[in-house]
């Protein structure tokens, strides 16, 4: 069972919030919880695991215990990696709230086969919905569009565009710049974008334990390229806080972004912070 470093204040804060537009809380890594003005609550890639030390070592607090979450309409997964699809982080939320798990095929395979969530949690098959690029899903007051993403380390990554009467934003998962982003930027008026950012580090190989030069996330130039192609008003960099050896300082992005028309501003958040559309 997960033990939160922060007790239950963050789930209680989300439940108590009454946003005028859309409130978005950063859960660290690439996790978010989103709450609309009518109360619809959606999690994207929530992860409270500690990684796989000494290869991947969590560098930030565990901000909540999934057992403490009592309100959720859906959990969305962007791709199949452990820090995006993780039974101990997500299945208790599904079990307690009856929320729907929305994900592409390879992410669902983790839940069905690799981790066998149905063996350990009281879940029903109708709580799981497969999506792919081009699909749209209505979740309460949100319409969520499934768009292409480019993550060469994942087998089937997607991005999610959330449309709400208050605005539109995109969660790109761990995507790097993609040829489709200019088209996405043309089709949507994106008020805010969430993109992964990190540095290059020596991470122990899974088999040998020997350090290997590893780059899992956008560098400074790639994240601004992606944000520019998407024509973002506001850029929220993520994932820079999570893994030992791959952390970075998002403040450097001010220098990389200042000569580009987009993103028009940087929204730098730490774990537990809230931003609003």
């Amino acid at each position: 069972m997960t033990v939160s470093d922060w007790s239950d204040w963050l789930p209680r804060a989300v439940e108590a919030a009454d946003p005028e537009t859309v409130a978005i809380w950063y859960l660290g890594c690439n996790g978010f919880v989103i709450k609309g003005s009518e109360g619809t609550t959606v999690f994207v890639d929530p992860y409270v695991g500690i990684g796989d030390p000494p290869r991947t070592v969590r560098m930030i607090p565990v901000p909540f215990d999934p057992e403490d979450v009592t309100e959720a309409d859906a959990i969305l997964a962007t791709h199949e990696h452990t820090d995006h699809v993780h039974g101990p982080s997500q299945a208790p939320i599904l079990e307690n709230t009856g929320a729907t798990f929305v994900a592409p095929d390879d992410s669902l395979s983790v839940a069905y086969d690799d981790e066998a969530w149905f063996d350990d949690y009281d879940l029903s098959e109708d709580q799981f919905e497969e999506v792919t690029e081009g699909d749209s899903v209505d979740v309460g007051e949100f319409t969520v569009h499934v768009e292409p993403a480019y993550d060469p380390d994942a087998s089937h990554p997607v991005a999610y565009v959330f449309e709400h009467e208050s605005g539109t934003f995109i969660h790109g998962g761990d995507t790097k710049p993609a040829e489709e982003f200019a088209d996405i930027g043309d089709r949507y008026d994106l008020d805010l974008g969430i993109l992964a950012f990190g540095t290059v580090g020596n991470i122990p190989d899974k088999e040998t334990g020997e350090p290997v030069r590893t780059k899992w996330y956008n560098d400074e130039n790639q994240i601004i390229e992606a944000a520019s192609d998407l024509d973002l008003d506001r850029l929220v960099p993520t994932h820079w806080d999570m893994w030992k050896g791959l952390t970075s300082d998002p403040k450097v992005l001010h220098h990389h972004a200042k000569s580009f028309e987009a993103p028009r501003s940087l929204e730098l958040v730490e774990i537990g912070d809230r931003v609003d559309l």
Side-chain angles (χ1 to χ4, degrees), residues 175-187:
T175 190
K176 294 181 174 68
E179 61 183 17
E180 297 89 353
F181 281 1
D183 175 64
I184 294 173
D186 287 339
R187 288 190 286 115

Side-chain angles (χ1 to χ4, degrees), residues 70-91:
T70 61
E71 296 179 3
D73 294 283
I75 298 175
L76 277 59
T78 59
H79 62 288
E80 75 284 352
H81 289 165
T82 298
D83 54 342
H84 299 260
V85 180
H86 184 242
S89 298
Q90 298 164 2

Side-chain angles (χ1 to χ4, degrees), residues 184-241:
I184 294 173
D186 287 339
R187 288 190 286 115
Y188 302 101
D189 181 10
L190 294 170
D191 300 289
L192 184 146
I194 294 162
L195 296 171
F197 168 57
T199 191
V200 176
N202 281 323
I203 302 299
D205 181 79
K206 279 187 177 181
E207 303 298 329
T208 67
E210 292 298 316
V212 176
R213 187 178 186 276
T214 300
K215 181 183 178 182
W216 284 334
Y217 314 115
N218 290 298
D219 63 21
E220 295 92 336
N221 296 307
Q222 287 175 312
I223 192 171
I224 298 304
E225 177 186 350
S228 179
D229 288 347
L230 290 166
D231 196 25
L232 299 180
D233 284 340
R234 300 155 67 191
L235 168 63
V236 176
T238 60
H239 237 317
W240 54 268
D241 53 3

